[in-house]
């Protein structure tokens, strides 16, 4: 058994929290690298079908491995077919952000019950997402330009200027 603590549903009262509120909390806690906060709103029997292992210990180990392997990875709010989701981003050596993953969620009774990372590249590219600079991307964005890694923000490629703002808009 790992030394990662097992969390239960004893977190704050979230009975009225909708999936968008839970997604927002997940994104904030993920970007803060705060497992305790994440597990306050994840069900103790949550399904995480896209990782090795089962349960919250496996989720904790996977998140820690991602943060160690890719310390610059960030999540931003997204929507897939009008459902709250999150997009994972990594900057390249020129500071250009690239989408590297998609997370979708399901919830019940104020807790996240399913956290998936589908490997459907088209869903990742079609997700309407906020970029790491906090800009909401236009639906008419030319994805071929995005795929080429053209910079966001002021275009100077300095990703340090585009790190996460103190608070994210919903």
């Amino acid at each position: 058994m790992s030394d990662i603590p097992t969390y239960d549903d004893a977190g704050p009262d979230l009975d009225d929290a909708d999936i968008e509120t839970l997604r927002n909390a997940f994104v904030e806690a993920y970007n803060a690298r705060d497992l305790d906060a994440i597990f306050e709103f994840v069900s103790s029997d949550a399904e995480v079908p896209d990782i090795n292992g089962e349960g919250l210990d496996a989720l904790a180990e996977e998140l820690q491995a991602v943060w160690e392997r890719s310390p610059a990875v960030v999540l931003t709010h997204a929507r897939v077919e009008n459902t709250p989701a999150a997009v994972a981003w990594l900057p390249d050596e020129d500071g250009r952000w690239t989408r590297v993953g998609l997370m979708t969620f399901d919830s019940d009774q104020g807790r996240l019950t399913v956290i998936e990372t589908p490997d459907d590249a088209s869903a990742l590219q079609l997700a309407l997402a906020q970029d790491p600079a906090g800009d909401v991307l236009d639906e008419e964005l030319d994805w071929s330009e995005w795929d080429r890694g053209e910079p966001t923000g002021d275009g100077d490629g300095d990703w340090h200027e585009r790190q996460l703002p103190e608070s994210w808009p919903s």
Side-chain angles (χ1 to χ4, degrees):
M1 185 102 201
S2 73
D3 58 351
I4 297 170
T6 301
Y7 299 90
D8 60 20
D9 290 343
D13 182 12
L14 297 170
D15 289 342
D16 296 327
D18 61 11
I19 194 162
E20 189 162 355
T21 300
L22 294 168
R23 182 273 321 263
N24 293 351
F26 185 91
V27 167
E28 182 177 330
Y30 182 98
N31 290 335
R33 309 306 194 245
D34 188 343
L35 282 174
D36 290 331
I38 287 173
F39 290 120
E40 286 182 8
F41 47 83
V42 173
S43 175
S44 63
D45 60 353
E47 297 175 35
V48 190
D50 304 306
I51 63 172
N52 291 327
E54 294 181 17
L56 297 182
D57 282 341
L59 176 60
E61 288 173 8
E62 180 68 17
L63 291 176
Q64 288 177 328
V66 168
W67 295 332
E68 288 173 20
R69 185 174 55 246
S70 304
V73 70
V74 296
L75 289 181
T76 65
H77 302 146
R79 297 191 87 68
V80 175
E81 296 179 358
N82 209 27
T83 301
V87 168
W89 302 80
L90 272 176
D92 66 15
E93 63 277 355
D94 295 322
R96 295 181 183 125
W97 291 96
T98 302
R99 292 174 180 224
V100 294
L102 176 67
M103 296 184 98
T104 60
F105 308 95
D106 201 356
S107 68
D108 187 37
Q109 298 180 355
R111 300 279 188 241
L112 291 175
T113 56
V114 178
I115 302 168
E116 285 189 273
T117 54
D119 58 3
D120 179 358
S122 64
L124 173 61
Q125 293 305 317
L126 293 174
L128 297 178
Q130 181 180 47
D131 77 6
D135 299 325
V136 176
L137 301 179
D138 189 348
E139 288 184 43
E140 273 113 52
L141 179 68
D142 180 349
W143 287 109
S144 62
E145 288 177 13
W146 191 257
D147 289 339
R148 288 190 303 268
E150 294 185 6
T152 61
D154 62 9
D156 67 358
D158 184 2
W159 78 273
H160 297 288
E161 291 178 7
R162 289 181 255 135
Q163 289 190 19
L164 294 174
E166 289 298 314
S167 62
W168 285 97
S170 295

